[in-house]
Structure formats: structure tokens, C-alpha cells
Amino acid sequence: MEPNLASYLALSGILFTIGAVGVIYKRNALGMFMCIELMLNSVNLTFIAFARYYGDTTGQLFVFMVMAVAACEAAVGLGIIIAFFRNKVTIDVDEASLLKN
Amino acid sequence: MTENNLLSVIIFAPLAGAVINWLIGGRLRNELFSGVIACGAIAVSAAVAFYLAFVAGGGALFIDKPILDHIWTWISVGGFRADFALGMDRLSGVYACFVTFVGFFIHVFATGYMKGDDGFYRFFAYLNLFMFAMLTLVLADNYLLMFVGWEGVGLCSYLLIGYYLKKNEAREAAKKAFVMNRIGDWGVLMAIFLTFTLTGSISFFDKTVGGEEVQSVFTWVLQNVTAAEPFTWGAIVAGGLTTIGVLLFIGATGKSAQIPLLTWLPDAMAGPTPVSALIHAATMVTAGVYLVVRSNVIYQLSPTAMWIIAIVGAATAIFAATIAIAQNDIKKVLAYSTVSQLGFMFLAAGVGAFVVAIFHVMTHAFFKALLFLGSGSVIHGMHHEQDMRKMGNLKKYMPITCVTMATGWLAIAGIPIFSGFFSKDEILYKTFAADKYFQNGAFPGNEFLWIVAVITAVLTAIYMTRMMIMTFWGDERWSEPPAVAGGLTHDSATHDEHADGHHDAHGDDNDEHHALPPNFKPHESPWVMTVPLIVLAFLSTVGGLVGIPYAMSSLVGIKDANAFEHVLEPVVADVETPAAVKARENAKAHSPEAVSTERWLALLSTVMAVFGIAVGFLLFRNNPLRKMPKILEQKWRLDEFYNGYIVDPLTNLSRKRLWQGFDLGFIDGAVNGIGSFVMALGNIVRGVQVGYVRTYAAFILLGALAVIGYFIYFGFKLL
């Protein structure tokens, strides 16, 4: 059975949900970070699926841009995690609650 | 139209003098330098004024077109045009001449009077600035620039009245003058706005600027208004010419100290005496008369406004004269005398005798400058004593001052030959005959006004005689022991305040002399002070001869001696209403009855003047300290009335209602209320900020889901 658009979208939706729930429930900063990447990649998958479906390369081009942004975000995000670790000697994000009240 | 760029020299020379004195004089602190700069600036100004008025291109006083000087285009927006431009016609020519001339002698006098004062340079800088403002006012070629000068003299009077900064009385007087003038300025501004909306112009003269024709206000009125406005109260608020006239007159009452805005002028005596002379004779107070005469076209077509001017003028004249009769401060007597004489000028303008009003302005400038400078000389000689009760027999010590002041006295009293006689007599006659010569036809109540004016003239003679006697004749009272003098002063509470005020007052400028030594002798003033007195005395004596009315010159067979009237006649525009035409014909005809009436009235007023002087001598010759009615001494309690019924309620309203009620209660309450509301709201909302990243992420997700759900449910149509 040839996989059709709906199944790609369904996979993408499942991946996105896993990522979103992971961001909300994880306390480990690295884990959250990976979940964010997962969400981004699920969106990429949607782009690719639609691009194939419509026979239009624009979606594929956007995926490159998302990947470039994701790389930048990874650099910045890891930097923040390292800085956070140096301050608190932990990467439990619940320790970063300065904004409380 | 003739252009002549020299015109701007008249106003900019005093300005330059002021700037130089302020910037350089303040460093040098050299009295000779400051004095020479200040007097030199006015001398240049006067020379140019006389050159333009009498010589250049036939002389502005003798040609029909004004000399114009377009300095720059100030405002030109749509149809509105206000140039920084000057114009000298016959009216402003006369003004420019006597303002600079009298002003020059006052400057010279001041160099003697202010000798040794700390702020010498500052004083002369202000004085020059004052002249600049007054000349701008007089020479401006439109209402707006005139208003600049108008405000300028207000500012300079404020600076100069409050010149003795450390004196509370002076500061208060300066503030009072400023505020009262502001009230009047409201009227002028409104009048200018209304003039523009009505006529589309604010210019005084027809002219061409850069190929563009500018029509003057007065030409517009002459071309578009053919009938005088109705003689009713309603005309005042109708928004026509009468409204403009009344508004302008409100400004004139402020500047020229007429009822109801008169109380600032006597208080202005707190300034140095030359300033008083300048304010009273050359600048400032005559500006109101100038404004009215300049706008005579408007007034000729609005009988209600004319009538109001005449009534207010006559009322002010007699009101101030009654006060002057009971004052003990030599300068206060003269101050109220000025108010009274200004009332005469407005009476003249009110009955349509505009030329006579200007004539009286000029003669008054001569004799009032003389009297004020004379009083300055007396005060100088008495080491800053202004109370006439402490003077007496000064003729022995100050003969020049005495003789010159005596000519001023005879001039203001209206003795024939002296200048005041001709102008005052003309005013009385024109008032008496207002029915015939009034441009708007009938003038109700003119006989009554005439009686008021005659009584005022007699009062004038009496109070001036009293002043002369108290100052120059009788016993020498300055060496009397304080107890006796105190006994004389202690009968009236207000008086004591006065006397004390003056003690304090002059403590600042020259106190080391003030405690008079036991062997004190008054001294005659130096020549810089006596020479101006002599010149002005000469002019007070003969200055009136330029305007001898027909009725008098024809007595000796001279047909046409009234040069002044011929010069100024074209200033009064020919309004073509039937009554105005008839009035002009009447005036030209010199009918035998009119001439004989005028002669009899002149004889009457001479008799009245002599009578007034005689009464003055009888009353005060042997008893110069005769007690005057208390109510007069207290100036009809007008200041108390204003304070009690206007100033205090206003202050209370401001303090109790506006400040403590409205400001503290409402405005502060609103501002603080908004603040505390935001604080309270923040306290509630801050609970949302839990500080955990995942909570925020969850909220973002929920929000995104809500938005997506919304679009899925309603479709994308709403976008």
C-alpha cells in the first residue's frame, strides 16, 4: 500500500503531540530541547508531504530554512543550557523560576 | 507710497542702545558710558524722527501718503498678512516726534537722578527698551505689530516699576501694572481677531508689497460701510464695528489707566521718578489715545462706542481729580493728575474731536514731563523725601525747579498762553458743542459731560495749587522734630502706611542720606537735571501756540493759526454718513455764533482756572496741611473695593475650590486612583506568573489550539 498524504499528516501530528507534551512534562532541559527539535521536524515532515502532494518545491525549500533556523536555535539553546548549568549546577528547568510572581 | 529705510533707525537705535548697555554696560559699570549710550541712542532716534517728519520728501507731517518701511514679511498665511513694517503718517509722525523729544530729555534728566545707583546700566537698558517698544507701537503699520509694541511697553513698565527689586511695594506695583495691562490686552487681541474676520486685513495703510496690493482696514471700512451702526446697547455685542471699538477701548483703559483699570498707574509711582515721567508723559499711557485715534474710522461709525469713551473719560477725569486733591505724596498727586488728564483726552476722542485729543496728548506730554521731572528734582534735592508735608519753602533753595514747575502748574491749570489752556479749552468747547460736531449726529448728555469737565478743570487748578504751595511756599517743615510730624500723620491709618512705605521704599536706593541731619538744607539739582526742566518749561509755555483755535486767533485778525489741526486733519477720515458730512461742514464754516460761543467758553474756562487757583491759595496758603476728606485721601477706597470684591474672592476661589477642591480632590484623585487601580489589578494577575517554563509552554499550546480550533470551526471566511 502506497502511503498517502493523510498518513504522513497523521504521523506528523503524532510526532508534534509527542514533542509538545514532552516540552510541557519534561524537567530536564536537554530533554525539552530534543522535544522542541521533534516538533520542528514534524512540521518539516508536513511541508515535505504537501510539497510532494502538490508537486511544488516551495515546501521543500522551506524545510531547508527551518533546518537552518533549527541549527541556530540549537546553538543558542545549548549555550543557554550551559550557562544555566554553570549557575545552578543542574539542568532541571524548574530551578529557573525567577519570573515567579 | 514712499519707502524710506531710515524709518527703522528710529526704533532700532534705542534697541541697540538697550542691548549695548545690557551686554557691555553691565561689565564696564561706568555711569558715563551707560548714560552716553542711552541718551545717544535716543538722540539718534529723535533726529531721524524729526528729519522724516519735517524734512525728508516734504516731511511726513505735510504729505498725504505715509512714509513706509517694509523690514520683512512677518506672517503671510492665506489671506492673512502681517508685516514687520513701519509707517509714519501725520499721526504717528507727531507721536514719534514728541515721544523721542520728551524721551530724550527724560533720559538726560535720569543720568543725574540715578547717579550712584547700583543698577545704573540696567536702568538705562530698560529705559531704552521702553522707548523701542513705544516707538514700535506708534510706528507699526498694522495692528499686530502695534500689539507687539503694546506688549513691549507693558513689559518694560513692569521691569521699571519694579526696578527697586528689594522694595516690596515696587514689586507689588509692578505685578499690579502687569496684570491690569493684561486684562486690557485681552480686549485688544479680541479686537484684532474681529477686525481681521470682518475686513480681511489688519494693516493701517494701503500699500504694495512685492507686487501684492494690501488694503488697509480703514479703506475697507470706508468702502464697505456706508451707514453708522445703531446707537443701542445691543450694538456692543453684535460683532460689528461697535464691538471692535469697545474691545479696543477696553485695551485703552488698561494702558491709559481709565476706569475701571486705573489703579495701577498711581501705584506705579514706586518706580524711579524718571520712569514715572516717561510712563506719564511720553510712553505707555498715551498709547491708548493713539489706538483710539488711529482707529477713528471705526469709532466714527459706532456711536455707542464713542459715547462709552466720552462717559468713561469724563468719569475718570473727575474721579481722579477728586483723589489728587487729597494726596500728600508729591508723585501721587501728579499720578492722579495724569489719570484725570487722560480722562480729558478720552472725553475729546469720545465726542469726536480726535485732533484735539492728540493736541492734548502733546501739550500734556510737555507739562506732565516737566512736572514729573520737577518733582524728581525736588525729591532729589530733599534726599528722597516724597511726602509734601515734610517740604515747604523750597523756592528759597531750588529756584530753577520752582520757576519751571510753576510754568507746568499754570499750563495744567489752564491759564491762557500756556500750552494746557489751548488744548483743554478745545476739549471743553468740543464737548459743549458735541451736538453740532459729533460725526454720528446727536450726542445725548453732552452738556452734562461739559459740566463734569469744567468742574474737573477747577479741581485741577486747586490740587495743583495745593501741591505747589505745600512744596515751594510756607514754612520749612523738614526740620520739624519727628514727634510733631508724627502727630500730623497719625490721624489716618492709611496715611501712616504710606509714609512708612516711602521710608522703606527709599531705603534701598539712597538710604545713607535719608535720616536727615539736623542742619539739613535742600539743594538745587545739577545742570543735567535743570536743563531738561528749562527746555520742557519753555515748551509747556509756548507749545500750545501751534494749535490756537480759529475763535481765538481771529480775535487778533489771524485767520489760520491752527497749524496742528491742519497737520492732523487728514488723519480723521471722511466718513460719508449724512451726520458726519453735516458735522464737517459745521466745523469748516466758523459760523459767528459758534465762534462767539467758543470765545465765551474760553473766557469762562480762564475765569474758572483763575478761580481754582484762587481757591487753592485761599484754602492752603496759610494752612498747607489742611486736613482733606478721608475718603479722598483713601482714593475712594477703590483698591480696597477691588481687593475685597474681585481679588479676594478670586484668590479664595482659587485656593479653596480650585486648588484644595478641584486640584487636590479631583485631578490628584484621578491620577492616584488610576495608579492604585493598576496596582490592584496587577496583584490579581501576577498569580498567573508561576515561573515554570513548561507552564508557559502549555499556555502557548492551549492558545495555539484555541486559535486553530476557532478557524476550523468557523472556517477561514472571517479573516
Side-chain angles (χ1 to χ4, degrees):
Chain A
M1 189 182 93
E2 180 84 356
N4 58 5
L5 178 66
S7 42
Y8 284 112
L9 289 184
L11 176 63
S12 168
I14 290 164
L15 287 176
F16 191 89
T17 313
I18 293 171
V21 172
V23 167
I24 292 168
Y25 280 95
K26 279 264 179 207
R27 294 189 175 186
N28 185 312
L30 276 175
M32 282 173 74
F33 189 68
M34 283 153 72
C35 288
I36 291 169
E37 291 296 316
L38 192 61
M39 283 154 74
L40 282 170
N41 280 311
S42 77
V43 174
N44 282 348
L45 187 61
T46 322
F47 271 126
I48 300 287
F50 275 112
R52 271 295 288 279
Y53 183 73
Y54 288 116
D56 179 1
T57 54
T58 317
Q60 300 186 18
L61 285 174
F62 264 101
V63 171
F64 283 113
M65 287 185 67
V66 172
M67 284 164 74
V69 171
C72 301
E73 186 237 327
V76 175
L78 288 171
I80 291 173
I81 289 170
I82 290 168
F84 178 62
F85 180 75
R86 279 194 186 150
N87 270 331
K88 299 269 179 178
V89 204
T90 174
I91 49 170
D92 183 348
V93 286
D94 280 5
E95 291 297 313
S97 59
L98 284 176
L99 277 181
K100 188 165 187 175
N101 282 343
Chain B
M1 185 179 94
T2 15
E3 281 276 342
N4 197 328
N5 293 333
L6 269 178
L7 205 49
S8 50
V9 174
I10 300 179
I11 67 164
F12 287 125
L15 181 65
V19 171
I20 292 173
N21 248 337
W22 188 256
L23 295 180
I24 303 175
R27 302 253 161 88
L28 289 182
R29 297 271 178 173
N30 182 329
E31 290 191 358
L32 185 66
F33 174 81
S34 295
V36 167
I37 289 288
C39 298
I42 306 300
V44 168
S45 186
V48 175
F50 275 90
Y51 171 72
L52 289 175
F54 289 99
V55 183
L61 296 183
F62 309 108
I63 55 178
D64 286 331
K65 297 278 177 191
I67 299 175
L68 297 176
D69 184 5
H70 181 87
I71 303 175
W72 71 75
T73 302
W74 182 18
I75 304 171
S76 177
V77 186
F80 180 78
R81 179 171 193 101
D83 290 319
F84 197 96
L86 307 177
M88 186 193 263
D89 69 341
R90 292 166 179 239
L91 177 60
S92 43
V94 168
Y95 257 83
C97 286
F98 84 77
V99 166
T100 51
F101 186 78
V102 174
F104 173 71
F105 285 106
I106 292 172
H107 274 68
V108 172
F109 180 90
T111 57
Y113 187 85
M114 299 302 287
K115 201 170 229 356
D117 192 274
D118 271 347
F120 197 82
Y121 78 95
R122 183 165 64 94
F123 181 78
F124 278 97
Y126 291 164
L127 223 50
N128 271 7
L129 197 63
F130 206 160
M131 294 295 286
F132 163 70
M134 182 65 189
L135 290 165
T136 310
L137 192 165
V138 167
L139 291 171
D141 95 325
N142 57 62
Y143 276 111
L144 201 62
L145 186 60
M146 189 217 73
F147 190 69
V148 171
W150 187 270
E151 291 294 288
V153 291
L155 169 74
C156 296
S157 66
Y158 167 79
L159 292 171
L160 283 167
I161 294 166
Y163 175 74
Y164 294 128
L165 295 164
K166 291 180 190 143
K167 240 165 76 178
N168 198 37
E169 188 202 14
R171 288 198 304 267
E172 291 288 327
K175 204 162 67 186
K176 192 173 185 180
F178 201 70
V179 170
M180 288 225 160
N181 271 295
R182 277 305 75 65
I183 298 172
D185 294 344
W186 169 83
V188 181
L189 264 185
M190 291 297 134
I192 296 173
F193 296 155
L194 196 55
T195 308
F196 177 70
T197 44
L198 205 65
T199 69
S201 168
I202 55 166
S203 179
F204 290 154
F205 308 115
D206 296 317
K207 56 178 182 176
T208 318
V209 184
E212 192 188 339
E213 292 284 335
V214 179
Q215 191 188 39
S216 77
V217 177
F218 311 127
T219 314
W220 187 93
V221 172
L222 283 176
Q223 285 175 3
N224 293 279
V225 185
T226 46
E229 294 201 345
F231 188 25
T232 55
W233 294 115
I236 298 172
V237 290
L241 293 179
T242 310
T243 315
I244 295 179
V246 171
L247 285 170
L248 285 177
F249 182 59
I250 290 175
T253 56
K255 198 81 19 183
S256 297
Q258 297 295 292
I259 292 172
L261 300 175
L262 62 88
T263 54
W264 69 269
L265 190 60
D267 283 21
M269 294 301 107
T273 307
V275 174
S276 313
L278 199 58
I279 290 180
H280 286 251
T283 60
M284 188 97 182
V285 293
T286 54
V289 186
Y290 172 78
L291 182 63
V292 169
V293 175
R294 173 58 82 200
S295 315
N296 67 71
V297 178
I298 293 170
Y299 284 106
Q300 287 186 47
L301 291 164
S302 46
T304 324
M306 295 277 276
W307 195 68
I308 290 173
I309 292 180
I311 300 282
V312 170
T316 311
I318 193 161
F319 180 76
T322 53
I323 297 175
I325 214 163
Q327 297 301 308
N328 288 319
D329 181 331
I330 185 167
K331 283 172 77 181
K332 291 258 166 161
V333 175
L334 292 173
Y336 280 104
S337 146
T338 304
V339 175
S340 170
Q341 297 297 312
L342 286 164
F344 267 114
M345 296 167 203
F346 279 106
L347 175 61
V351 297
F354 298 105
V355 172
V356 180
I358 298 298
F359 188 30
H360 198 56
V361 166
M362 193 187 75
T363 55
H364 177 259
F366 294 147
F367 62 71
K368 191 48 68 68
L370 167 65
L371 287 169
F372 259 112
L373 295 186
S375 78
S377 174
V378 166
I379 293 166
H380 189 78
M382 289 294 293
H383 292 280
H384 292 263
E385 177 59 68
Q386 300 193 2
D387 193 334
M388 293 192 295
R389 287 170 301 191
K390 301 219 177 83
M391 295 174 184
N393 201 24
L394 288 181
K395 68 177 188 303
K396 184 174 155 202
Y397 302 96
M398 313 178 75
I400 302 175
T401 308
C402 175
V403 171
T404 50
M405 267 187 95
T407 63
W409 161 51
L410 296 174
I412 192 173
I415 298 296
I417 304 301
F418 292 95
S419 61
F421 167 74
F422 294 106
S423 52
K424 188 187 271 180
D425 188 58
E426 277 281 276
I427 293 174
L428 292 175
Y429 170 66
K430 295 278 182 183
T431 311
F432 183 79
D435 273 339
K436 276 200 191 106
Y437 301 113
F438 192 50
Q439 281 88 337
N440 301 307
F443 194 91
N446 65 311
E447 286 88 359
F448 178 70
L449 290 181
W450 177 75
I451 291 168
V452 170
V454 169
I455 294 172
T456 309
V458 175
L459 286 174
T460 309
I462 295 176
Y463 69 67
M464 287 312 293
T465 311
R466 172 172 178 268
M467 191 199 86
M468 292 300 288
I469 289 173
M470 284 182 85
T471 312
F472 291 107
W473 280 285
D475 304 324
E476 301 169 4
R477 287 186 298 274
W478 60 83
S479 47
E480 278 174 25
V484 179
L488 284 167
T489 46
H490 272 291
D491 34 29
S492 123
T494 42
H495 241 122
D496 254 355
E497 282 164 29
H498 262 224
D500 290 347
H502 286 295
H503 283 272
D504 297 344
H506 285 275
D508 284 323
D509 55 292
N510 233 343
D511 202 27
E512 66 267 30
H513 297 297
H514 195 263
L516 297 176
N519 55 352
F520 168 74
K521 288 272 175 285
H523 58 82
E524 183 59 280
S525 304
W527 66 268
V528 284
M529 293 166 77
T530 50
V531 167
L533 286 177
I534 292 165
V535 173
L536 287 169
F538 177 71
L539 283 171
S540 303
T541 310
V542 303
L545 298 179
V546 298
I548 303 171
Y550 175 80
M552 288 170 217
S553 64
S554 59
L555 270 179
V556 288
I558 303 166
K559 284 276 169 263
D560 221 6
N562 201 344
F564 196 82
E565 191 179 308
H566 290 303
V567 163
L568 278 180
E569 223 162 13
V571 167
V572 182
D574 294 342
V575 176
E576 296 301 327
T577 60
V581 172
K582 188 159 157 267
R584 270 206 299 283
E585 279 165 4
N586 274 342
K588 289 241 173 66
H590 295 305
S591 68
E593 307 94 78
V595 168
S596 79
T597 316
E598 192 170 350
R599 284 177 185 161
W600 282 113
L601 286 179
L603 183 64
L604 178 70
S605 65
T606 311
V607 171
M608 282 307 201
V610 174
F611 169 71
I613 291 177
V615 168
F617 265 101
L618 277 179
L619 283 178
F620 302 106
R621 183 70 184 90
N622 295 318
N623 187 9
L625 297 181
R626 176 184 287 275
K627 246 174 81 58
M628 302 307 290
K630 206 165 168 184
I631 185 79
L632 299 182
E633 223 168 83
Q634 295 169 348
K635 307 149 193 170
W636 293 105
R637 308 189 65 79
L638 186 65
D639 271 320
E640 286 78 1
F641 174 80
Y642 278 170
N643 282 336
Y645 289 91
I646 297 174
V647 178
D648 287 350
L650 262 180
T651 318
N652 274 339
L653 176 77
S654 308
R655 193 185 299 274
K656 294 262 161 53
R657 299 263 172 287
L658 295 180
W659 174 35
Q660 284 165 353
F662 186 73
D663 191 40
L664 289 187
F666 183 74
I667 297 189
D668 286 11
V671 172
N672 291 338
I674 290 173
S676 32
F677 170 74
V678 171
M679 294 268 282
L681 194 69
N683 268 334
I684 296 166
V685 178
R686 75 204 299 180
V688 177
Q689 301 284 344
V690 292
Y692 297 127
V693 178
R694 51 204 167 82
T695 321
Y696 299 139
F699 274 116
I700 291 170
L701 183 70
L702 282 177
L705 284 178
V707 171
I708 291 169
Y710 173 85
F711 282 130
I712 290 171
Y713 189 78
F714 290 105
F716 291 83
K717 287 182 300 245
L718 288 177
L719 263 181

